[in-house]
């Protein structure tokens, strides 16, 4: 399996396995029976996972040595499901459908004020071409991002920014994720809707308008970008500026894998905020 490439720190790593079990199926909404797209499916804290496609379909290779491990199926807006790998394989042999229950989400109260807000760009604002990080030969569910420190609570998020250094991934699709923090690493997603986008820019500044999502945060959080679809050439890549100053990058290779910090180099992701 090949890791995300970030400068010289990301190396190709091959995992030797003895036998594979293929589990394939479709994720559906338990209430409506409609497919649920872009669901994270993976072996917990292992580098074996995937993301369901737009039709809710997925295929997951489960090495024999992980047959008694835990498989987690999760999606924004739905209750998480947990399986032992053997149970997961058996379930899908009997019925190709995994049904997820919708989760009732309580929205935080937003206080409306006529006070003029201050605007500030927070995060890593580098536009360096000397250092870069991004996605190359990446698995679905591969994520990388940084910790974002806010000035005041609440903080309103209106835009996402990154500086593209190269892009041959026209058919790649990404999701922007916001996570709470536990023991210095991402924990639980803290937004209630998917932020899905493609990157058309070949080079230069990329900005994503987030105003329609009404994003409000009350404490520091992790901001990550996740690869959720790649229908083009599997050798496709997207790279962004990175730098030595700012917050260090965290990454995981695929859905439900273990988070890791990568040295002192920070991917150049930032947000326009108001407080």
């Amino acid at each position: 399996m090949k890791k995300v490439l970030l400068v010289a720190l990301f190396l190709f790593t091959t995992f030797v396995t003895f036998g594979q079990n293929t589990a394939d199926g479709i994720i559906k909404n338990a209430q409506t029976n409609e497919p649920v797209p872009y669901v994270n499916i993976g072996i917990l804290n292992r580098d074996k996972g995937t993301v369901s496609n737009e039709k809710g379909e997925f295929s997951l290779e489960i090495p024999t040595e992980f047959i008694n491990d835990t498989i987690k199926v999760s999606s924004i807006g739905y209750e998480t499901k947990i399986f032992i790998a053997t149970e997961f394989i058996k379930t899908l042999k009997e019925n190709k459908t995994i049904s997820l229950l919708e989760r009732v989400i309580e929205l935080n109260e937003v206080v409306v004020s006529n006070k003029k807000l201050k605007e500030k760009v927070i995060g890593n604002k580098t536009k360096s071409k000397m250092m870069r990080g991004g996605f190359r030969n990446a698995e679905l569910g591969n994520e990388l991002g940084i910790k974002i420190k806010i000035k005041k609570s609440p903080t309103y998020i209106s835009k996402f920014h990154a500086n593209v250094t190269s892009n041959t991934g026209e058919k790649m699709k990404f999701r922007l994720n916001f996570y709470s923090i536990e023991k210095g690493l991402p924990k639980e997603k803290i937004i209630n809707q998917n932020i899905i986008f493609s990157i058309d820019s070949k080079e230069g500044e990329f900005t994503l308008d987030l105003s329609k999502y009404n994003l409000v945060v009350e404490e520091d959080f992790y901001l990550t970008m996740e690869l959720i679809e790649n229908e083009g050439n599997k050798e496709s890549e997207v790279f962004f500026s990175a730098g030595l100053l700012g917050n260090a990058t965290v990454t995981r290779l695929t859905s439900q894998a273990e988070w890791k910090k990568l040295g002192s180099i920070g991917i150049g992701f930032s947000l326009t905020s108001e407080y």
Side-chain angles (χ1 to χ4, degrees):
M1 180 179 294
K2 297 177 179 178
K3 293 185 178 182
V4 174
L5 197 70
L6 181 56
V7 197
L9 295 178
F10 293 76
L11 303 176
F12 294 151
T13 303
T14 302
F15 294 88
V16 180
T17 59
F18 301 93
Q20 299 274 355
N21 301 274
T22 301
D24 53 61
I26 182 169
I27 310 292
K28 289 189 176 182
N29 182 311
Q31 285 94 336
T32 68
N33 207 38
E34 292 292 320
V36 183
Y38 309 127
V39 176
N40 294 111
I41 308 119
I43 304 174
L44 200 59
N45 297 324
R46 305 288 190 180
D47 294 331
K48 293 291 181 181
T50 190
V51 177
S52 67
N53 65 18
E54 199 169 14
K55 298 177 181 179
E57 301 163 337
F58 72 92
S59 180
L60 177 65
E61 296 292 335
I62 304 173
T64 300
E65 62 264 40
F66 300 151
I67 203 69
N68 293 314
D69 280 29
T70 299
I71 289 180
K72 184 177 179 180
V73 180
S74 62
S75 180
I76 292 174
Y78 292 87
E79 298 288 347
T80 296
K81 276 199 168 181
I82 299 292
F83 300 86
I84 299 300
T86 50
E87 174 195 2
F88 188 70
I89 294 167
K90 181 181 179 182
T91 298
L92 288 172
K93 283 182 178 178
E94 295 172 352
N95 183 351
K96 290 296 183 183
T97 299
I98 298 290
S99 297
L100 297 183
L101 289 167
E102 291 184 34
R103 178 164 53 91
V104 177
I105 300 172
E106 294 183 6
L107 299 178
N108 293 332
E109 180 183 1
V110 178
V111 178
V112 179
S113 171
N114 60 3
K115 176 185 175 182
K116 184 174 176 60
L117 299 176
K118 294 181 181 180
E119 185 175 279
K120 184 178 178 62
V121 177
I122 51 180
N124 294 344
K125 294 170 275 189
T126 178
K127 294 186 178 180
S128 170
K129 294 183 179 180
M130 299 296 292
M131 295 184 180
R132 64 180 194 156
F135 301 86
R136 174 185 285 171
N137 298 333
E139 300 288 339
L140 297 181
N142 191 179
E143 285 184 73
L144 73 163
I146 58 169
K147 181 179 178 181
I148 297 289
K149 298 178 181 179
I150 64 173
K151 291 285 290 183
K152 290 185 179 181
S153 179
T155 289
Y156 304 87
I157 306 297
S158 60
K159 294 177 184 177
F160 166 75
H161 310 279
N163 194 67
V164 179
T165 60
S166 65
N167 180 11
T168 61
E170 296 88 350
K171 294 188 177 181
M172 284 176 150
K173 194 173 287 187
F174 299 93
R175 171 164 50 204
L176 206 63
N177 292 319
F178 290 59
Y179 289 93
S180 61
I181 301 172
E182 183 175 279
K183 297 180 180 179
L185 291 170
K187 181 60 176 175
E188 301 290 342
K189 290 181 181 177
I190 56 173
I191 55 176
N192 55 26
Q193 52 194 316
N194 285 305
I195 302 174
I196 295 171
F197 60 98
S198 299
I199 298 174
D200 298 325
S201 306
K202 295 291 185 182
E203 187 176 350
E205 186 172 344
F206 171 77
T207 296
L208 182 66
D209 185 1
L210 302 175
S211 57
K212 67 179 181 180
Y213 297 101
N214 299 315
L215 299 173
V216 183
V217 292
E218 297 181 342
E219 56 189 6
D220 296 347
F221 61 95
Y222 267 101
L223 165 72
T224 72
M225 186 184 294
E226 175 191 4
L227 178 65
I228 60 170
E229 186 176 295
N230 186 6
E231 297 300 326
N233 185 338
K234 296 303 179 182
E235 300 296 316
S236 297
E237 62 181 43
V238 179
F239 281 95
F240 308 95
S241 296
L244 287 172
L245 300 177
N247 296 319
T249 302
V250 294
T251 185
R252 63 176 171 184
L253 290 181
T254 186
S255 295
Q256 319 300 357
E258 185 179 7
W259 288 101
K260 297 177 181 178
K261 285 187 178 180
L262 296 169
S264 59
I265 296 174
I267 194 74
F269 293 167
S270 62
L271 299 165
T272 296
S273 67
E274 296 179 330
Y275 59 90

